[in-house]
Amino acid sequence: MDIEKKTKKIICGEYLIFAVVAAVFSALILTRVWILGQSGFRYVFIYFTLALGAWFVIDLFWTIFSKKRRAKNSLLDKILPLPAPATVVTVDIISLIIGLEASKDIHQVAVGIIFGYLSLVFLFFAFYRYKHPSPLMLEAIEEAKKEEAASKIELPAEESPKQEEEQK
């Protein structure tokens, strides 16, 4: 199997694994098998996801306005997951305003739905990126090809036992 197919299969396989994990988390949270209720955990989760949501928006605008970054990143990779951080930030702000106890149910449902949405996004990328690799994936493929070519050049040709006997 050539290095390009191998790299595509590995990366798309990772997307499939992420899709399955996100779908399982979504099912566990929405069916209330996994209850997101501890106040200490929720405070950490809220502040962490607020920072992560802000970073996601900054990264999106950085990609849009930087020609260098846009050449290496796909806007589809930045825009398609955008509803997830937008929803998380909104729910986090609501949770901070009305209180952690009053927003337990909203938080539980929102996080479950977000994981469900992300599983669909990862599932889409698993199949879409196999046919249409992102610039970063193409860069990884080129690096792998260079490493493979360098390793073939560096390896000395092994002599067979017959050649050794003939030389003696």
Side-chain angles (χ1 to χ4, degrees):
M1 184 183 312
D2 67 332
I3 195 73
E4 185 174 352
K5 265 190 171 178
K6 191 176 187 181
T7 305
K8 283 182 180 180
K9 282 185 177 184
I10 290 171
I11 292 173
C12 292
E14 289 174 1
Y15 276 128
L16 280 174
I17 291 170
F18 291 149
V20 169
V21 169
V24 168
F25 282 172
S26 175
L28 291 174
I29 292 170
L30 289 174
T31 59
R32 296 188 179 271
V33 171
W34 182 13
I35 297 175
L36 308 173
Q38 298 94 358
S39 294
F41 171 75
R42 285 199 49 218
Y43 267 121
V44 171
F45 183 80
I46 286 172
Y47 289 115
F48 178 73
T49 54
L50 277 172
L52 201 59
W55 168 250
F56 194 91
V57 172
I58 290 167
D59 187 42
L60 173 68
F61 284 113
W62 184 16
T63 303
I64 290 172
F65 294 120
S66 172
K67 290 182 181 180
K68 224 176 174 181
R69 188 154 172 85
R70 198 174 330 128
K72 287 190 170 192
N73 292 290
S74 169
L75 280 177
L76 183 67
D77 292 348
K78 304 294 179 185
I79 292 173
L80 199 57
L82 190 59
T87 304
V88 165
V89 167
T90 304
V91 170
D92 289 347
I93 292 171
I94 290 170
S95 294
L96 290 173
I97 291 172
I98 67 172
L100 291 182
E101 285 302 315
S103 64
K104 266 182 160 178
D105 291 333
I106 296 169
H107 188 256
Q108 182 85 20
V109 171
V111 171
I113 291 172
I114 290 166
F115 273 118
Y117 177 74
L118 289 176
S119 73
L120 293 175
V121 169
F122 290 136
L123 186 65
F124 169 77
F125 280 141
F127 295 104
Y128 181 76
R129 287 295 172 214
Y130 190 78
K131 280 284 195 196
H132 306 283
S134 69
L136 285 174
M137 190 186 296
L138 292 173
E139 189 176 301
I141 291 169
E142 288 304 315
E143 277 184 32
K145 284 181 180 178
K146 286 179 185 176
E147 287 177 11
E148 186 179 45
S151 67
K152 285 182 180 179
I153 293 171
E154 292 176 8
L155 293 175
E158 293 182 8
E159 295 181 5
S160 66
K162 289 182 182 178
Q163 291 175 340
E164 288 178 11
E165 290 176 11
E166 290 174 2
Q167 289 177 355
K168 288 182 184 179

